[in-house]
Amino acid sequence: MGRFCVTVLLLLVAGFATHAAKLPSTFKRCHKSDPKFDDCLVVNIEDAIHQLKNGAPELGLDSFEPLLISELVIGEGSGPVNVQQNFKNVKLHGLTGSKVLSQKASLDQNMLFAQSVTPMLRLEADYDMKGRVLLLPVFGNGPCNVTLVNTKINHTLIGEPFERKGRTFLKWVDYKVTLRPEIVKFHFANLFNGDDRLGNEINRVINENWDAVFTDVRDGYEKSFGLIFKDLANRVFTRVPLKDIFLE
Ligand SMILES: *[C@@H]1O[C@H](CO)[C@@H](O)[C@H](O)[C@H]1NC(C)=O
Ligand SMILES: *[C@@H]1O[C@H](CO)[C@@H](O)[C@H](O)[C@H]1NC(C)=O
């Protein structure tokens, strides 16, 4: 097992609401009694994600396009990636273009499982790293891009209900993510204090071996996305009473 750590700091810090909020009126809802409840959620969750392009002031959510994350640390892998990647001022583009492929809610057990695909997910950030990749020494800091193309994502959510002022809410306590991109493209500018020849060479080698490189640190990306998605989901669920999300 490689050493491994994840830190994520979201810019939009969640103030834990004391007042119940309402879903935006443009969000469509599903009835639990609907025999096609799961199919209904597939359509409505995807629609809500697309709408979040413009944010949702009712829920105190800023635009998700891009989603701003102040800090994200992807730890070393146990294989070819012997470097900790520190990202700051992260802009995550493309989340609102996600499609929901399937969804299975087990509401009596407070569980939800969903599969989605995001055509283009681009992380732009200021990076800082020093270590080795594929045995080659790398160091540098500057702007970077990590682009994940056609990424299949599985979401497994486990929640705990809680009461506030006589109303029932759900808090997601566990949000597991698995990611399977079709291809990942990396670009780190200003490697080796701006030595373009060496920098281009390293970018070329990393991209030629993107699968081995990404697979080695995928755990870190999955844990980071899990934390980000959990935080976003809880901004809705801990503020809107459960019976106003899933209708009787
Ligand atoms: C990131 O990608 C965008 C779009 O392809 C490009 O305009 C930009 O220059 C890239 N930035 C870096 C640091 O590679
Ligand atoms: C998602 O789960 C399904 C069913 O267990 C599995 O076949 C698929 O490979 C998983 N996909 C990802 C992206 O983990």
Side-chain angles (χ1 to χ4, degrees), residues 7 22 25-26 30 67 73 94-95 101 112 122-124 128 150 158 164 174 179 184 188 191 216 218 231 242 244:
T7 321
K22 280 193 169 133
S25 56
T26 49
C30 304
L67 188 67
V73 178
L95 265 187
L101 302 176
L112 216 125
R122 193 170 80 240
L123 183 153
E124 285 178 9
D128 183 350
N150 287 336
I158 299 175
R164 193 170 57 226
D174 194 22
L179 294 171
V184 183
F188 294 95
L191 279 168
D216 196 29
R218 188 171 59 209
D231 184 272
L242 205 50
D244 297 334

Side-chain angles (χ1 to χ4, degrees), residues 113 115 152-154 178-180:
F113 175 74
Q115 295 183 281
K152 291 213 169 115
I153 309 181
N154 283 3
T178 54
L179 294 171
R180 293 292 180 278

Side-chain angles (χ1 to χ4, degrees), residues 1-153:
M1 271 306 280
R3 277 186 297 137
F4 153 91
C5 83
V6 177
T7 321
V8 178
L9 270 173
L10 285 172
L11 262 193
L12 0 93
V13 179
F16 192 75
T18 47
H19 300 288
K22 280 193 169 133
L23 283 189
S25 56
T26 49
F27 280 25
K28 295 187 216 96
R29 293 175 293 172
C30 304
H31 288 265
K32 285 195 280 186
S33 57
D34 182 346
K36 293 210 150 67
F37 178 66
D38 282 322
D39 298 341
C40 174
L41 279 185
V42 165
V43 175
N44 290 354
I45 292 174
E46 180 172 315
D47 187 52
I49 292 169
H50 293 174
Q51 288 188 40
L52 286 173
K53 196 171 189 160
N54 307 316
E58 298 92 330
L59 296 168
L61 293 173
D62 290 332
S63 170
F64 276 32
E65 216 45 83
L67 188 67
L68 304 178
I69 301 158
S70 58
E71 198 179 332
L72 196 157
V73 178
I74 304 285
E76 284 187 36
S78 53
V81 185
N82 307 120
V83 64
Q84 174 174 303
Q85 304 167 65
N86 303 305
F87 298 110
K88 285 218 164 84
N89 308 318
V90 180
K91 290 188 184 130
L92 191 60
H93 297 268
L95 265 187
T96 63
S98 300
K99 294 180 186 1
V100 181
L101 302 176
S102 73
Q103 192 289 130
K104 175 94 190 78
S106 312
L107 294 184
D108 47 338
Q109 297 170 68
N110 304 306
M111 280 176 65
L112 216 125
F113 175 74
Q115 295 183 281
S116 66
V117 62
T118 307
M120 212 247 355
L121 201 52
R122 193 170 80 240
L123 183 153
E124 285 178 9
D126 297 321
Y127 79 94
D128 183 350
M129 61 185 180
K130 184 174 192 305
R132 282 173 183 271
V133 177
L134 299 154
L135 303 179
L136 303 168
V138 290
F139 68 87
N141 58 74
C144 75
N145 270 342
V146 181
T147 308
L148 286 74
V149 179
N150 287 336
T151 305
K152 291 213 169 115
I153 309 181

